PDB file of all heavy atoms in Angstrom:
ATOM      1  N   PHE M  18       0.789  -1.223   0.013  1.00  0.00           N
ATOM      2  CA  PHE M  18       0.060  -0.005  -0.024  1.00  0.00           C
ATOM      3  C   PHE M  18       0.844   1.240  -0.036  1.00  0.00           C
ATOM      4  O   PHE M  18       1.967   1.280   0.528  1.00  0.00           O
ATOM      5  CB  PHE M  18      -0.801   0.012   1.225  1.00  0.00           C
ATOM      6  CG  PHE M  18      -1.959  -0.983   1.245  1.00  0.00           C
ATOM      7  CD1 PHE M  18      -2.010  -2.014   0.330  1.00  0.00           C
ATOM      8  CD2 PHE M  18      -2.981  -0.913   2.289  1.00  0.00           C
ATOM      9  CE1 PHE M  18      -3.105  -3.010   0.370  1.00  0.00           C
ATOM     10  CE2 PHE M  18      -3.918  -1.897   2.353  1.00  0.00           C
ATOM     11  CZ  PHE M  18      -4.025  -2.874   1.460  1.00  0.00           C
ATOM     12  N   THR M  19       0.397   2.374  -0.639  1.00  0.00           N
ATOM     13  CA  THR M  19       1.066   3.548  -0.545  1.00  0.00           C
ATOM     14  C   THR M  19       0.114   4.721  -0.338  1.00  0.00           C
ATOM     15  O   THR M  19      -0.898   4.868  -1.042  1.00  0.00           O
ATOM     16  CB  THR M  19       1.808   3.831  -1.999  1.00  0.00           C
ATOM     17  OG1 THR M  19       2.714   2.777  -2.248  1.00  0.00           O
ATOM     18  CG2 THR M  19       2.523   5.141  -1.978  1.00  0.00           C
ATOM     19  N   ILE M  20       0.478   5.530   0.618  1.00  0.00           N
ATOM     20  CA  ILE M  20      -0.401   6.797   0.876  1.00  0.00           C
ATOM     21  C   ILE M  20       0.248   7.953   0.302  1.00  0.00           C
ATOM     22  O   ILE M  20       1.451   8.126   0.240  1.00  0.00           O
ATOM     23  CB  ILE M  20      -0.572   6.935   2.465  1.00  0.00           C
ATOM     24  CG1 ILE M  20      -1.618   7.996   2.786  1.00  0.00           C
ATOM     25  CG2 ILE M  20       0.786   7.186   3.179  1.00  0.00           C
ATOM     26  CD1 ILE M  20      -2.029   8.153   4.233  1.00  0.00           C
ATOM     27  N   SER M  21      -0.638   8.752  -0.287  1.00  0.00           N
ATOM     28  CA  SER M  21      -0.071   9.931  -0.894  1.00  0.00           C
ATOM     29  C   SER M  21      -1.167  11.061  -0.654  1.00  0.00           C
ATOM     30  O   SER M  21      -2.260  10.801  -0.183  1.00  0.00           O
ATOM     31  CB  SER M  21       0.244   9.753  -2.426  1.00  0.00           C
ATOM     32  OG  SER M  21      -1.013   9.404  -3.142  1.00  0.00           O
ATOM     33  N   ARG M  22      -0.760  12.343  -1.070  1.00  0.00           N
ATOM     34  CA  ARG M  22      -1.590  13.408  -0.862  1.00  0.00           C
ATOM     35  C   ARG M  22      -1.452  14.457  -2.024  1.00  0.00           C
ATOM     36  O   ARG M  22      -0.482  14.465  -2.707  1.00  0.00           O
ATOM     37  CB  ARG M  22      -1.388  14.166   0.444  1.00  0.00           C
ATOM     38  CG  ARG M  22       0.074  14.801   0.467  1.00  0.00           C
ATOM     39  CD  ARG M  22       0.374  15.591   1.680  1.00  0.00           C
ATOM     40  NE  ARG M  22       1.743  16.154   1.662  1.00  0.00           N
ATOM     41  CZ  ARG M  22       2.168  16.978   2.450  1.00  0.00           C
ATOM     42  NH1 ARG M  22       1.455  17.332   3.554  1.00  0.00           N
ATOM     43  NH2 ARG M  22       3.349  17.494   2.351  1.00  0.00           N
ATOM     44  N   ASP M  23      -2.566  15.252  -2.269  1.00  0.00           N
ATOM     45  CA  ASP M  23      -2.644  16.257  -3.291  1.00  0.00           C
ATOM     46  C   ASP M  23      -3.046  17.447  -2.431  1.00  0.00           C
ATOM     47  O   ASP M  23      -4.195  17.640  -2.211  1.00  0.00           O
ATOM     48  CB  ASP M  23      -3.541  15.949  -4.388  1.00  0.00           C
ATOM     49  CG  ASP M  23      -3.622  17.041  -5.508  1.00  0.00           C
ATOM     50  OD1 ASP M  23      -3.179  18.147  -5.179  1.00  0.00           O
ATOM     51  OD2 ASP M  23      -3.916  16.682  -6.581  1.00  0.00           O
ATOM     52  N   ASN M  24      -2.056  18.241  -1.986  1.00  0.00           N
ATOM     53  CA  ASN M  24      -2.458  19.424  -1.166  1.00  0.00           C
ATOM     54  C   ASN M  24      -3.339  20.450  -1.955  1.00  0.00           C
ATOM     55  O   ASN M  24      -4.081  21.075  -1.303  1.00  0.00           O
ATOM     56  CB  ASN M  24      -1.109  20.106  -0.790  1.00  0.00           C
ATOM     57  CG  ASN M  24      -0.299  19.365   0.221  1.00  0.00           C
ATOM     58  OD1 ASN M  24      -0.858  18.487   0.927  1.00  0.00           O
ATOM     59  ND2 ASN M  24       0.935  19.537   0.249  1.00  0.00           N
ATOM     60  N   ALA M  25      -3.173  20.651  -3.221  1.00  0.00           N
ATOM     61  CA  ALA M  25      -3.960  21.554  -3.879  1.00  0.00           C
ATOM     62  C   ALA M  25      -5.465  21.239  -3.856  1.00  0.00           C
ATOM     63  O   ALA M  25      -6.348  22.146  -3.859  1.00  0.00           O
ATOM     64  CB  ALA M  25      -3.491  21.710  -5.318  1.00  0.00           C
ATOM     65  N   GLU M  26      -5.683  19.967  -3.831  1.00  0.00           N
ATOM     66  CA  GLU M  26      -7.136  19.488  -3.863  1.00  0.00           C
ATOM     67  C   GLU M  26      -7.572  18.945  -2.508  1.00  0.00           C
ATOM     68  O   GLU M  26      -8.664  18.476  -2.317  1.00  0.00           O
ATOM     69  CB  GLU M  26      -7.371  18.388  -4.821  1.00  0.00           C
ATOM     70  CG  GLU M  26      -7.117  18.903  -6.333  1.00  0.00           C
ATOM     71  CD  GLU M  26      -7.447  17.836  -7.339  1.00  0.00           C
ATOM     72  OE1 GLU M  26      -7.821  16.702  -6.993  1.00  0.00           O
ATOM     73  OE2 GLU M  26      -7.315  18.092  -8.508  1.00  0.00           O
ATOM     74  N   ASN M  27      -6.691  19.062  -1.413  1.00  0.00           N
ATOM     75  CA  ASN M  27      -6.945  18.572  -0.128  1.00  0.00           C
ATOM     76  C   ASN M  27      -7.460  17.149  -0.052  1.00  0.00           C
ATOM     77  O   ASN M  27      -8.516  16.828   0.467  1.00  0.00           O
ATOM     78  CB  ASN M  27      -8.000  19.570   0.542  1.00  0.00           C
ATOM     79  CG  ASN M  27      -7.495  20.951   0.800  1.00  0.00           C
ATOM     80  OD1 ASN M  27      -6.340  21.103   1.359  1.00  0.00           O
ATOM     81  ND2 ASN M  27      -8.231  21.913   0.382  1.00  0.00           N
ATOM     82  N   THR M  28      -6.810  16.276  -0.804  1.00  0.00           N
ATOM     83  CA  THR M  28      -7.121  14.920  -0.972  1.00  0.00           C
ATOM     84  C   THR M  28      -6.092  14.014  -0.607  1.00  0.00           C
ATOM     85  O   THR M  28      -4.863  14.242  -0.937  1.00  0.00           O
ATOM     86  CB  THR M  28      -7.622  14.766  -2.452  1.00  0.00           C
ATOM     87  OG1 THR M  28      -8.746  15.543  -2.724  1.00  0.00           O
ATOM     88  CG2 THR M  28      -8.131  13.269  -2.613  1.00  0.00           C
ATOM     89  N   VAL M  29      -6.343  12.980   0.043  1.00  0.00           N
ATOM     90  CA  VAL M  29      -5.356  11.893   0.426  1.00  0.00           C
ATOM     91  C   VAL M  29      -5.773  10.563  -0.291  1.00  0.00           C
ATOM     92  O   VAL M  29      -6.969  10.252  -0.384  1.00  0.00           O
ATOM     93  CB  VAL M  29      -5.311  11.694   1.898  1.00  0.00           C
ATOM     94  CG1 VAL M  29      -4.373  10.502   2.298  1.00  0.00           C
ATOM     95  CG2 VAL M  29      -4.754  12.971   2.511  1.00  0.00           C
ATOM     96  N   TYR M  30      -4.862   9.869  -0.796  1.00  0.00           N
ATOM     97  CA  TYR M  30      -5.152   8.586  -1.427  1.00  0.00           C
ATOM     98  C   TYR M  30      -4.427   7.378  -0.774  1.00  0.00           C
ATOM     99  O   TYR M  30      -3.449   7.529  -0.098  1.00  0.00           O
ATOM    100  CB  TYR M  30      -4.604   8.720  -2.976  1.00  0.00           C
ATOM    101  CG  TYR M  30      -5.034   9.873  -3.631  1.00  0.00           C
ATOM    102  CD1 TYR M  30      -4.344  11.143  -3.733  1.00  0.00           C
ATOM    103  CD2 TYR M  30      -6.317   9.854  -4.424  1.00  0.00           C
ATOM    104  CE1 TYR M  30      -4.882  12.147  -4.530  1.00  0.00           C
ATOM    105  CE2 TYR M  30      -6.771  10.907  -5.074  1.00  0.00           C
ATOM    106  CZ  TYR M  30      -6.049  12.090  -5.175  1.00  0.00           C
ATOM    107  OH  TYR M  30      -6.552  13.130  -5.887  1.00  0.00           O
ATOM    108  N   LEU M  31      -4.972   6.205  -1.034  1.00  0.00           N
ATOM    109  CA  LEU M  31      -4.338   5.059  -0.598  1.00  0.00           C
ATOM    110  C   LEU M  31      -4.444   4.059  -1.785  1.00  0.00           C
ATOM    111  O   LEU M  31      -5.550   3.555  -2.171  1.00  0.00           O
ATOM    112  CB  LEU M  31      -5.130   4.467   0.580  1.00  0.00           C
ATOM    113  CG  LEU M  31      -4.495   3.169   1.134  1.00  0.00           C
ATOM    114  CD1 LEU M  31      -3.161   3.483   1.884  1.00  0.00           C
ATOM    115  CD2 LEU M  31      -5.446   2.532   2.193  1.00  0.00           C
ATOM    116  N   GLN M  32      -3.224   3.886  -2.374  1.00  0.00           N
ATOM    117  CA  GLN M  32      -3.163   3.008  -3.468  1.00  0.00           C
ATOM    118  C   GLN M  32      -2.897   1.531  -2.897  1.00  0.00           C
ATOM    119  O   GLN M  32      -1.891   1.437  -2.088  1.00  0.00           O
ATOM    120  CB  GLN M  32      -1.967   3.362  -4.384  1.00  0.00           C
ATOM    121  CG  GLN M  32      -1.696   2.404  -5.541  1.00  0.00           C
ATOM    122  CD  GLN M  32      -2.794   2.282  -6.523  1.00  0.00           C
ATOM    123  OE1 GLN M  32      -3.227   3.266  -6.981  1.00  0.00           O
ATOM    124  NE2 GLN M  32      -3.225   0.995  -6.810  1.00  0.00           N
ATOM    125  N   MET M  33      -3.641   0.628  -3.158  1.00  0.00           N
ATOM    126  CA  MET M  33      -3.665  -0.774  -2.582  1.00  0.00           C
ATOM    127  C   MET M  33      -3.357  -1.707  -3.692  1.00  0.00           C
ATOM    128  O   MET M  33      -4.127  -1.944  -4.689  1.00  0.00           O
ATOM    129  CB  MET M  33      -4.977  -1.069  -1.841  1.00  0.00           C
ATOM    130  CG  MET M  33      -5.352  -0.140  -0.753  1.00  0.00           C
ATOM    131  SD  MET M  33      -6.763  -0.686   0.150  1.00  0.00           S
ATOM    132  CE  MET M  33      -8.047  -0.591  -1.084  1.00  0.00           C
ATOM    133  N   ASN M  34      -2.158  -2.417  -3.608  1.00  0.00           N
ATOM    134  CA  ASN M  34      -1.730  -3.500  -4.601  1.00  0.00           C
ATOM    135  C   ASN M  34      -1.692  -4.777  -4.007  1.00  0.00           C
ATOM    136  O   ASN M  34      -1.623  -4.858  -2.793  1.00  0.00           O
ATOM    137  CB  ASN M  34      -0.425  -3.078  -5.263  1.00  0.00           C
ATOM    138  CG  ASN M  34      -0.482  -1.716  -6.024  1.00  0.00           C
ATOM    139  OD1 ASN M  34      -1.564  -1.380  -6.614  1.00  0.00           O
ATOM    140  ND2 ASN M  34       0.554  -0.932  -5.939  1.00  0.00           N
ATOM    141  N   SER M  35      -1.631  -5.819  -4.875  1.00  0.00           N
ATOM    142  CA  SER M  35      -1.398  -7.171  -4.305  1.00  0.00           C
ATOM    143  C   SER M  35      -2.471  -7.470  -3.082  1.00  0.00           C
ATOM    144  O   SER M  35      -2.113  -8.033  -2.214  1.00  0.00           O
ATOM    145  CB  SER M  35      -0.068  -7.394  -3.923  1.00  0.00           C
ATOM    146  OG  SER M  35       0.945  -7.229  -4.834  1.00  0.00           O
ATOM    147  N   LEU M  36      -3.676  -7.184  -3.389  1.00  0.00           N
ATOM    148  CA  LEU M  36      -4.697  -7.363  -2.355  1.00  0.00           C
ATOM    149  C   LEU M  36      -4.969  -8.749  -2.003  1.00  0.00           C
ATOM    150  O   LEU M  36      -4.986  -9.756  -2.875  1.00  0.00           O
ATOM    151  CB  LEU M  36      -5.988  -6.665  -2.670  1.00  0.00           C
ATOM    152  CG  LEU M  36      -5.992  -5.096  -2.679  1.00  0.00           C
ATOM    153  CD1 LEU M  36      -7.106  -4.490  -3.509  1.00  0.00           C
ATOM    154  CD2 LEU M  36      -6.043  -4.685  -1.092  1.00  0.00           C
ATOM    155  N   LYS M  37      -5.159  -8.985  -0.767  1.00  0.00           N
ATOM    156  CA  LYS M  37      -5.482 -10.324  -0.196  1.00  0.00           C
ATOM    157  C   LYS M  37      -6.826 -10.286   0.472  1.00  0.00           C
ATOM    158  O   LYS M  37      -7.392  -9.275   0.838  1.00  0.00           O
ATOM    159  CB  LYS M  37      -4.407 -10.734   0.919  1.00  0.00           C
ATOM    160  CG  LYS M  37      -2.941 -10.481   0.463  1.00  0.00           C
ATOM    161  CD  LYS M  37      -2.033 -10.686   1.643  1.00  0.00           C
ATOM    162  CE  LYS M  37      -0.574 -10.495   1.309  1.00  0.00           C
ATOM    163  NZ  LYS M  37       0.275 -10.722   2.573  1.00  0.00           N
ATOM    164  N   PRO M  38      -7.537 -11.392   0.568  1.00  0.00           N
ATOM    165  CA  PRO M  38      -8.780 -11.506   1.227  1.00  0.00           C
ATOM    166  C   PRO M  38      -8.699 -10.911   2.670  1.00  0.00           C
ATOM    167  O   PRO M  38      -9.762 -10.350   3.128  1.00  0.00           O
ATOM    168  CB  PRO M  38      -9.036 -12.935   1.342  1.00  0.00           C
ATOM    169  CG  PRO M  38      -8.335 -13.599   0.106  1.00  0.00           C
ATOM    170  CD  PRO M  38      -7.098 -12.811  -0.018  1.00  0.00           C
ATOM    171  N   GLU M  39      -7.673 -11.037   3.379  1.00  0.00           N
ATOM    172  CA  GLU M  39      -7.495 -10.522   4.809  1.00  0.00           C
ATOM    173  C   GLU M  39      -7.466  -8.838   4.723  1.00  0.00           C
ATOM    174  O   GLU M  39      -7.613  -8.343   5.908  1.00  0.00           O
ATOM    175  CB  GLU M  39      -6.353 -11.011   5.477  1.00  0.00           C
ATOM    176  CG  GLU M  39      -5.029 -10.999   4.823  1.00  0.00           C
ATOM    177  CD  GLU M  39      -4.626 -12.246   4.027  1.00  0.00           C
ATOM    178  OE1 GLU M  39      -5.549 -12.877   3.434  1.00  0.00           O
ATOM    179  OE2 GLU M  39      -3.625 -12.765   4.070  1.00  0.00           O
ATOM    180  N   ASP M  40      -7.475  -8.341   3.554  1.00  0.00           N
ATOM    181  CA  ASP M  40      -7.494  -6.890   3.478  1.00  0.00           C
ATOM    182  C   ASP M  40      -8.945  -6.391   3.475  1.00  0.00           C
ATOM    183  O   ASP M  40      -9.191  -5.213   3.556  1.00  0.00           O
ATOM    184  CB  ASP M  40      -6.785  -6.379   2.217  1.00  0.00           C
ATOM    185  CG  ASP M  40      -5.348  -6.525   2.215  1.00  0.00           C
ATOM    186  OD1 ASP M  40      -4.697  -6.360   3.234  1.00  0.00           O
ATOM    187  OD2 ASP M  40      -4.768  -6.880   1.129  1.00  0.00           O
ATOM    188  N   THR M  41      -9.927  -7.278   3.406  1.00  0.00           N
ATOM    189  CA  THR M  41     -11.258  -6.985   3.432  1.00  0.00           C
ATOM    190  C   THR M  41     -11.686  -6.350   4.693  1.00  0.00           C
ATOM    191  O   THR M  41     -11.393  -6.784   5.721  1.00  0.00           O
ATOM    192  CB  THR M  41     -12.233  -8.259   3.204  1.00  0.00           C
ATOM    193  OG1 THR M  41     -11.933  -8.749   1.914  1.00  0.00           O
ATOM    194  CG2 THR M  41     -13.692  -7.922   3.251  1.00  0.00           C
ATOM    195  N   ALA M  42     -12.294  -5.165   4.477  1.00  0.00           N
ATOM    196  CA  ALA M  42     -12.609  -4.292   5.709  1.00  0.00           C
ATOM    197  C   ALA M  42     -13.311  -2.992   5.224  1.00  0.00           C
ATOM    198  O   ALA M  42     -13.425  -2.780   3.990  1.00  0.00           O
ATOM    199  CB  ALA M  42     -11.394  -3.912   6.497  1.00  0.00           C
ATOM    200  N   VAL M  43     -13.843  -2.287   6.170  1.00  0.00           N
ATOM    201  CA  VAL M  43     -14.255  -0.944   5.955  1.00  0.00           C
ATOM    202  C   VAL M  43     -13.029   0.054   6.117  1.00  0.00           C
ATOM    203  O   VAL M  43     -12.415  -0.153   7.217  1.00  0.00           O
ATOM    204  CB  VAL M  43     -15.539  -0.459   6.835  1.00  0.00           C
ATOM    205  CG1 VAL M  43     -15.758   0.884   6.612  1.00  0.00           C
ATOM    206  CG2 VAL M  43     -16.651  -1.428   6.508  1.00  0.00           C
ATOM    207  N   TYR M  44     -12.715   0.760   5.193  1.00  0.00           N
ATOM    208  CA  TYR M  44     -11.529   1.645   5.345  1.00  0.00           C
ATOM    209  C   TYR M  44     -12.161   3.094   5.568  1.00  0.00           C
ATOM    210  O   TYR M  44     -12.969   3.591   5.027  1.00  0.00           O
ATOM    211  CB  TYR M  44     -10.757   1.680   4.056  1.00  0.00           C
ATOM    212  CG  TYR M  44      -9.910   0.535   3.918  1.00  0.00           C
ATOM    213  CD1 TYR M  44     -10.593  -0.858   3.627  1.00  0.00           C
ATOM    214  CD2 TYR M  44      -8.479   0.513   4.004  1.00  0.00           C
ATOM    215  CE1 TYR M  44      -9.816  -1.873   3.373  1.00  0.00           C
ATOM    216  CE2 TYR M  44      -7.822  -0.623   3.831  1.00  0.00           C
ATOM    217  CZ  TYR M  44      -8.446  -1.920   3.528  1.00  0.00           C
ATOM    218  OH  TYR M  44      -7.637  -3.035   3.478  1.00  0.00           O
ATOM    219  N   TYR M  45     -11.506   3.698   6.638  1.00  0.00           N
ATOM    220  CA  TYR M  45     -11.884   4.927   7.141  1.00  0.00           C
ATOM    221  C   TYR M  45     -10.774   5.969   7.038  1.00  0.00           C
ATOM    222  O   TYR M  45      -9.510   5.659   7.291  1.00  0.00           O
ATOM    223  CB  TYR M  45     -12.150   4.971   8.618  1.00  0.00           C
ATOM    224  CG  TYR M  45     -13.373   4.068   9.031  1.00  0.00           C
ATOM    225  CD1 TYR M  45     -13.303   2.720   9.289  1.00  0.00           C
ATOM    226  CD2 TYR M  45     -14.664   4.584   8.925  1.00  0.00           C
ATOM    227  CE1 TYR M  45     -14.397   1.842   9.623  1.00  0.00           C
ATOM    228  CE2 TYR M  45     -15.717   3.837   9.272  1.00  0.00           C
ATOM    229  CZ  TYR M  45     -15.537   2.404   9.602  1.00  0.00           C
ATOM    230  OH  TYR M  45     -16.641   1.683   9.836  1.00  0.00           O
ATOM    231  N   CYS M  46     -10.972   7.180   6.568  1.00  0.00           N
ATOM    232  CA  CYS M  46     -10.161   8.271   6.504  1.00  0.00           C
ATOM    233  C   CYS M  46     -10.096   9.003   7.744  1.00  0.00           C
ATOM    234  O   CYS M  46     -11.230   9.280   8.312  1.00  0.00           O
ATOM    235  CB  CYS M  46     -10.418   9.244   5.214  1.00  0.00           C
ATOM    236  SG  CYS M  46      -9.280  10.604   5.056  1.00  0.00           S
ATOM    237  N   ASN M  47      -8.987   9.435   8.214  1.00  0.00           N
ATOM    238  CA  ASN M  47      -8.851  10.220   9.491  1.00  0.00           C
ATOM    239  C   ASN M  47      -7.953  11.360   9.327  1.00  0.00           C
ATOM    240  O   ASN M  47      -6.945  11.272   8.632  1.00  0.00           O
ATOM    241  CB  ASN M  47      -8.211   9.269  10.509  1.00  0.00           C
ATOM    242  CG  ASN M  47      -7.691   9.987  11.858  1.00  0.00           C
ATOM    243  OD1 ASN M  47      -6.522  10.236  11.899  1.00  0.00           O
ATOM    244  ND2 ASN M  47      -8.585  10.268  12.757  1.00  0.00           N
ATOM    245  N   SER M  48      -8.365  12.580   9.948  1.00  0.00           N
ATOM    246  CA  SER M  48      -7.512  13.740   9.988  1.00  0.00           C
ATOM    247  C   SER M  48      -7.302  14.141  11.411  1.00  0.00           C
ATOM    248  O   SER M  48      -8.163  14.008  12.228  1.00  0.00           O
ATOM    249  CB  SER M  48      -8.167  14.947   9.189  1.00  0.00           C
ATOM    250  OG  SER M  48      -9.531  15.350   9.848  1.00  0.00           O
ATOM    251  N   ARG M  49      -6.070  14.560  11.738  1.00  0.00           N
ATOM    252  CA  ARG M  49      -5.718  14.821  13.094  1.00  0.00           C
ATOM    253  C   ARG M  49      -5.422  16.279  13.200  1.00  0.00           C
ATOM    254  O   ARG M  49      -4.736  16.917  12.368  1.00  0.00           O
ATOM    255  CB  ARG M  49      -4.431  14.036  13.411  1.00  0.00           C
ATOM    256  CG  ARG M  49      -4.540  12.502  13.238  1.00  0.00           C
ATOM    257  CD  ARG M  49      -3.289  11.726  13.385  1.00  0.00           C
ATOM    258  NE  ARG M  49      -3.552  10.354  13.205  1.00  0.00           N
ATOM    259  CZ  ARG M  49      -2.531   9.441  13.246  1.00  0.00           C
ATOM    260  NH1 ARG M  49      -1.282   9.799  13.477  1.00  0.00           N
ATOM    261  NH2 ARG M  49      -2.831   8.095  13.064  1.00  0.00           N
ATOM    262  N   HIS M  50      -5.959  16.843  14.283  1.00  0.00           N
ATOM    263  CA  HIS M  50      -5.865  18.316  14.470  1.00  0.00           C
ATOM    264  C   HIS M  50      -5.661  18.574  16.107  1.00  0.00           C
ATOM    265  O   HIS M  50      -5.690  17.631  16.868  1.00  0.00           O
ATOM    266  CB  HIS M  50      -7.285  19.001  14.229  1.00  0.00           C
ATOM    267  CG  HIS M  50      -7.813  18.619  12.966  1.00  0.00           C
ATOM    268  ND1 HIS M  50      -7.812  19.253  11.832  1.00  0.00           N
ATOM    269  CD2 HIS M  50      -8.525  17.451  12.592  1.00  0.00           C
ATOM    270  CE1 HIS M  50      -8.441  18.674  10.888  1.00  0.00           C
ATOM    271  NE2 HIS M  50      -8.878  17.526  11.241  1.00  0.00           N
ATOM    272  N   LEU M  51      -5.195  19.689  16.372  1.00  0.00           N
ATOM    273  CA  LEU M  51      -5.021  20.175  17.650  1.00  0.00           C
ATOM    274  C   LEU M  51      -6.367  19.970  18.509  1.00  0.00           C
ATOM    275  O   LEU M  51      -6.366  19.696  19.735  1.00  0.00           O
ATOM    276  CB  LEU M  51      -4.612  21.614  17.799  1.00  0.00           C
ATOM    277  CG  LEU M  51      -3.139  21.849  17.335  1.00  0.00           C
ATOM    278  CD1 LEU M  51      -2.831  23.345  17.409  1.00  0.00           C
ATOM    279  CD2 LEU M  51      -2.170  21.063  18.128  1.00  0.00           C
ATOM    280  N   PHE M  52      -7.469  20.237  17.908  1.00  0.00           N
ATOM    281  CA  PHE M  52      -8.819  20.018  18.655  1.00  0.00           C
ATOM    282  C   PHE M  52      -9.309  18.699  18.683  1.00  0.00           C
ATOM    283  O   PHE M  52     -10.337  18.469  19.196  1.00  0.00           O
ATOM    284  CB  PHE M  52      -9.767  21.033  18.011  1.00  0.00           C
ATOM    285  CG  PHE M  52      -9.944  20.972  16.560  1.00  0.00           C
ATOM    286  CD1 PHE M  52     -10.795  19.936  16.011  1.00  0.00           C
ATOM    287  CD2 PHE M  52      -9.412  21.830  15.638  1.00  0.00           C
ATOM    288  CE1 PHE M  52     -11.025  19.775  14.645  1.00  0.00           C
ATOM    289  CE2 PHE M  52      -9.554  21.637  14.279  1.00  0.00           C
ATOM    290  CZ  PHE M  52     -10.395  20.652  13.757  1.00  0.00           C
ATOM    291  N   GLY M  53      -8.607  17.757  17.978  1.00  0.00           N
ATOM    292  CA  GLY M  53      -9.206  16.421  17.948  1.00  0.00           C
ATOM    293  C   GLY M  53      -9.131  15.789  16.555  1.00  0.00           C
ATOM    294  O   GLY M  53      -8.528  16.446  15.635  1.00  0.00           O
TER     295      GLY M  53
END
């Protein structure tokens, strides 16, 4: 997997390769701030 970002568009990506059945899940995006 590779995480990347596009600051101009305020977007983060997760490129997932060689996927396995154990990768099955709900994937959540998270942002971290001083306020939480």
Side-chain angles (χ1 to χ4, degrees):
F18 291 9
T19 303
I20 188 170
S21 62
R22 63 179 184 171
D23 184 336
N24 289 334
E26 297 185 357
N27 296 312
T28 302
V29 173
Y30 304 94
L31 184 68
Q32 177 67 51
M33 305 185 294
N34 299 323
S35 302
L36 284 162
K37 308 172 182 178
E39 49 263 47
D40 294 318
T41 295
V43 177
Y44 284 71
Y45 297 92
C46 183
N47 164 263
S48 62
R49 301 173 183 177
H50 315 256
L51 290 174
F52 55 79

